[in-house]
Amino acid sequence: MTAPLAEQIDALLPQTQCRKCGFAGCKPYAEAIAQGSADINQCPPGGESGIFKLSTLLGVAAKPLDPAFGIERPRLVAVINEVDCIGCTKCLPPCPTDAILGSAKHMHTVIEAECTGCELCVAPCPVNCISMQPAVDPDWTTENANHGRRRFQAKNRRLTQQEAEKAERLNRQKQLLAKIKSAKTSL
């Protein structure tokens, strides 16, 4: 049995989760392509090679990368100037793969092997201590993409679990407050 079209498309995308395509990640972009609401030439990290793979899968003509979404360039990774880092943690939430290590009021660093080069951490930094530099290994392989996808999915599962735990704590607090209020009223 063949995987649904959106899954086949997603398997061809670079999984940098950079949002340059105009979608919240590679999977939503793949779904939009499958539905016909997005074009195959919106992914700068995938570049010409990615467009060719998508055109082959979909049986459509390849076309140049749409410059409205960016330009194709060599793979980059985030680097934090640790001397200038103030430990504000504003770079942590936007990182789609939890590639940044650090805690509040402590210096942060990027785990290069986990960085997809999405650049989402750069803008939130209030002291401009994050820069994008050429990756030691410029080739982004299918293995890298699969690893990036797994890291992205793991982060999303962690965030979903944290939200559920927070909601449960709030619910328990509301119930406790209701009991306290009820006990005070009955006195």
Side-chain angles (χ1 to χ4, degrees):
M1 177 179 208
T2 307
L5 184 58
E7 286 181 28
Q8 293 177 56
I9 294 168
D10 186 51
L12 298 177
L13 295 174
Q15 303 303 315
T16 59
Q17 312 302 338
C18 66
R19 302 180 185 168
K20 290 179 180 149
C21 62
F23 293 88
C26 294
K27 187 167 184 160
Y29 176 46
E31 290 167 347
I33 293 172
Q35 295 167 359
S37 59
D39 211 338
I40 64 171
N41 64 342
Q42 296 177 208
C43 178
E48 243 181 77
S49 169
I51 293 168
F52 178 75
K53 290 176 189 175
L54 292 171
S55 72
T56 302
L57 172 69
L58 299 171
V60 298
K63 52 180 80 174
L65 177 64
D66 184 337
F69 297 96
I71 59 169
E72 183 176 2
R73 60 183 177 185
R75 182 169 165 247
L76 302 172
V77 293
V79 175
I80 296 176
N81 179 341
E82 296 171 358
V83 172
D84 293 338
C85 179
I86 60 172
C88 71
T89 72
K90 291 184 182 207
C91 59
L92 298 179
C95 180
T97 58
D98 283 337
I100 301 173
L101 185 62
S103 61
K105 298 184 178 154
H106 290 86
M107 174 269 304
H108 292 69
T109 193
V110 175
I111 306 167
E112 185 176 340
E114 308 303 346
C115 181
T116 63
C118 69
E119 302 179 53
L120 295 173
C121 59
V122 176
C125 180
V127 294
N128 297 320
C129 70
I130 302 174
S131 62
M132 299 304 294
Q133 298 181 4
V136 173
D137 182 5
D139 295 326
W140 189 254
T141 66
T142 301
E143 290 172 16
N144 296 124
N146 291 336
H147 182 74
R149 181 186 297 107
R150 286 189 300 273
R151 294 280 301 186
F152 180 65
Q153 291 169 344
K155 178 178 181 171
N156 287 338
R157 280 191 303 274
R158 178 179 58 77
L159 292 176
T160 300
Q161 181 179 356
Q162 286 175 341
E163 279 300 312
E165 290 168 358
K166 180 179 177 182
E168 178 60 31
R169 277 192 312 276
L170 289 172
N171 189 36
R172 284 194 309 264
Q173 288 174 349
K174 285 180 184 178
Q175 289 173 352
L176 181 59
L177 287 173
K179 285 181 184 178
I180 292 171
K181 188 175 183 180
S182 175
K184 283 184 179 179
T185 319
S186 64
L187 289 177

